[in-house]
Amino acid sequence: MALFMPQEHKSIERAAQLEQSFGGAESNVAIGLARLGASVGWFGALGNDPFGRLILKALRGEGVDVSRVRLSDEATTGMMFREHVAGRLAVHYYRKHSAASRMQPEELDEDYIRGAKLLHVTGITTALSDNCRKTVRRAVDIAKHAGVPVSFDPNLRLKLWSIEEARETLLDLAEDVDYFLPGWDELKLLYDTDDFNVIRGKLNSLKAITVIKGMGDATLVMEQGKETSVPFYPAETVVDTVGAGDGFCAGFLAGVRNGMTPVEAVRLGSIAGSLVVQMRGDWEALPDWDVVEQRMSAKAWVER
């Protein structure tokens, strides 16, 4: 999406000027992975308008393969307006009838997915429309049948759909993935309980390695009945928390790609996420490999 933000923490209502950028969970993760040395492609649809062309060029410039992106003359690029006032973050979406919301399963390049080492999807795309849900479902099915691991971040956005719709779609997808990357707050909403023992039972029934973000000041890795708590990597200062989860996800997937254990990959993801929050914007502060490597330390994690 195109992204617009007031400067200096003003409200949109009172701002005379807006900064222009772009954002989106999947494209943020793609940029993060490319900066960490991965060969990565992004599937999507954008309007054939100034915003869509800007996003396409920026992604290409970051080393992301955009050869499977479609520019539409029939629909516009989605937009997002964000304001951060007095400690309160508000996001306003304008995505209905956007080019992305019109994506269809038959537009997927099945051979491209079959040839990947990993497919990453998020719940945001599934929230845009029924045909988007079918498109994501089809992509996951293609990957599964080809033996391609699937990573899934639910990225619950209740401004885009109801919790009832989200539960039906997202929990169904979680049954079929290899890496499930929810936040603790998302799990409480999806399973309609804050009882961790109940949620633990649900997650242990999945085949996926589950990585729960935001368990206090740590990330919990659940793998084959074993739970490991990985402390957050500290941030020197916090400027903008948006994009932290995408930075974490990019770091985690880069670690998995490089042969790290899930716990080691979570530690790398935590470093990437901590760097993202120290700059304004969704993806601008995503680090390259040299930066995260320098920050690797002997910080211990706790097993239980």
Side-chain angles (χ1 to χ4, degrees), residues 43 67-68 105-115 142:
F43 283 25
S67 60
R68 271 65 179 178
E106 55 267 24
E107 294 170 351
L108 293 169
D109 185 332
E110 298 191 8
D111 288 338
Y112 195 98
I113 294 173
R114 293 188 186 103
I142 294 167

Side-chain angles (χ1 to χ4, degrees), residues 52-195:
R53 292 191 292 272
L54 178 151
I55 294 168
L56 194 67
K57 291 174 184 176
L59 288 170
R60 186 184 294 123
E62 288 288 341
V64 176
D65 178 10
V66 291
S67 60
R68 271 65 179 178
V69 176
R70 181 174 60 86
L71 288 178
S72 171
D73 291 317
E74 287 75 45
T76 59
T77 303
M79 294 189 183
M80 172 174 61
F81 293 80
R82 200 167 80 216
E83 56 187 344
H84 199 163
V85 182
R88 176 179 172 271
L89 177 68
V91 179
H92 311 277
Y93 293 108
Y94 295 85
R95 307 193 70 172
K96 196 172 184 180
H97 306 305
S98 67
S101 74
R102 300 188 180 194
M103 288 189 292
Q104 302 289 340
E106 55 267 24
E107 294 170 351
L108 293 169
D109 185 332
E110 298 191 8
D111 288 338
Y112 195 98
I113 294 173
R114 293 188 186 103
K117 293 182 179 177
L118 184 139
L119 172 71
H120 177 68
V121 297
T122 86
I124 295 179
T125 308
T126 63
L128 298 181
S129 63
D130 182 60
N131 48 285
C132 279
R133 284 190 279 280
K134 292 176 181 176
T135 301
V136 172
R137 179 75 257 180
R138 178 60 183 153
V140 171
D141 288 345
I142 294 167
K144 280 180 57 185
H145 292 148
V148 175
V150 179
S151 165
F152 174 47
D153 186 339
N155 258 319
L156 184 60
R157 297 290 186 271
L158 294 181
K159 284 194 172 185
L160 297 175
W161 57 353
S162 69
I163 186 60
E164 291 78 18
E165 291 175 296
R167 283 183 186 132
E168 181 180 358
T169 298
L170 302 184
L171 294 180
D172 178 67
L173 281 172
E175 296 280 346
D176 288 326
V177 302
D178 300 276
Y179 300 98
F180 184 36
L181 309 173
W184 171 235
D185 288 340
E186 291 174 319
L187 288 176
K188 289 188 288 186
L189 288 166
L190 288 172
Y191 289 115
D192 196 23
T193 180
D194 59 3
D195 186 331

Side-chain angles (χ1 to χ4, degrees), residues 22 27-36 59 62 64 283 286:
F22 68 91
S27 56
N28 293 345
V29 172
I31 292 172
L33 278 164
R35 290 187 180 180
L36 291 170
L59 288 170
E62 288 288 341
V64 176
W283 54 269
L286 288 163

